[in-house]
Amino acid sequence: LQQRLLPLHLRARARVIKATMDAVALKQRGNEMYSKGKFGAAIEAYTEAITCDPRWTVLYINRALCHRKRKDWASVKRDCETALHFDRNSVKALYMLGLALIAEKRFTEAAVSLQKALEEARESGNMIQDDVWRELARAKYLEWELEAAKREERFSHFENNVRKLLGSMDQEDLQ
């Protein structure tokens, strides 16, 4: 009865506060499950927390960490992209997005994401800089390696065509 007597804006504010408190409690449960290595349970807790507070970027990042432990790169990518929708400079989201893109063999895009993560980490003094730098170097190396393999394939194809051409010219010379 007292709830009905409150003005509409105060009732709405009370619902927001309750949802935030629920999200905090669910995040804590997710953190506990993560620390115990129960990544599925942690994912469930973070997912429930997201339903309470869908704009809380940390929830997406934490859930992405769980997906990363399970090597579910598509889910890591999806959660990181959502987190970046709300905070485009999130170092952890940019970093894990880069890791997911490496797993998908999209090395150029991974390097772009990791480069931005490195710049943001340097700017904010984030301790993850060394990890980001290492993965950026790996993405660039893998990109170079992939391009080298493509160049080798093109050269081999070209070389075979030249041999065929020279072989046909030799046959014409014999006649």
Side-chain angles (χ1 to χ4, degrees):
L1 182 64
Q2 284 182 340
Q3 189 77 332
R4 286 189 207 163
L5 297 176
L6 288 174
L8 187 58
H9 74 283
L10 290 178
R11 282 186 276 170
R13 180 79 177 129
R15 280 193 299 276
V16 169
I17 291 169
K18 173 148 179 19
T20 302
M21 289 171 44
D22 290 346
V24 169
L26 288 163
K27 176 188 175 281
Q28 184 58 38
R29 189 171 88 207
N31 291 352
E32 290 169 12
M33 294 296 106
Y34 180 89
S35 67
K36 292 177 181 177
K38 296 180 179 181
F39 305 118
I43 289 168
E44 288 177 22
Y46 294 131
T47 301
E48 286 182 54
I50 287 167
T51 62
C52 296
D53 190 351
R55 294 179 156 267
W56 195 5
T57 307
V58 170
L59 299 173
Y60 295 99
I61 293 169
N62 287 1
R63 190 169 67 177
L65 280 167
C66 296
H67 290 305
R68 178 182 171 197
K69 290 288 189 176
R70 297 173 126 194
K71 299 193 184 318
D72 179 357
W73 297 110
S75 295
V76 170
K77 182 179 169 202
R78 186 175 48 252
D79 277 346
C80 289
E81 287 173 339
T82 303
L84 290 167
H85 174 75
F86 296 118
D87 178 5
R88 65 183 181 166
N89 298 323
S90 170
V91 174
K92 287 182 181 179
L94 288 163
Y95 171 66
M96 286 192 293
L97 176 60
L99 297 179
L101 291 167
I102 288 172
E104 292 179 351
K105 298 186 181 345
R106 295 167 60 186
F107 306 122
T108 304
E109 293 171 67
V112 170
S113 182
L114 292 164
Q115 182 65 48
K116 184 162 187 200
L118 184 60
E119 290 166 8
E120 292 297 328
R122 285 180 176 159
E123 195 173 295
S124 65
N126 195 308
M127 300 302 291
I128 199 172
Q129 288 180 54
D130 290 342
D131 293 334
V132 175
W133 176 251
R134 187 172 23 264
E135 292 300 329
L136 175 59
R138 184 168 76 102
K140 287 187 174 196
Y141 173 77
L142 291 170
E143 178 184 26
W144 175 85
E145 200 172 59
L146 183 64
E147 290 301 316
K150 288 178 183 177
R151 282 190 300 276
E152 177 63 34
E153 186 178 325
R154 285 193 307 268
F155 177 76
S156 178
H157 182 73
F158 174 75
E159 187 177 42
N160 287 337
N161 285 340
V162 169
R163 288 178 199 265
K164 286 179 188 175
L165 182 62
L166 290 175
S168 68
M169 290 172 81
D170 288 344
Q171 289 295 328
E172 289 175 8
D173 287 344
L174 292 176
Q175 293 176 358

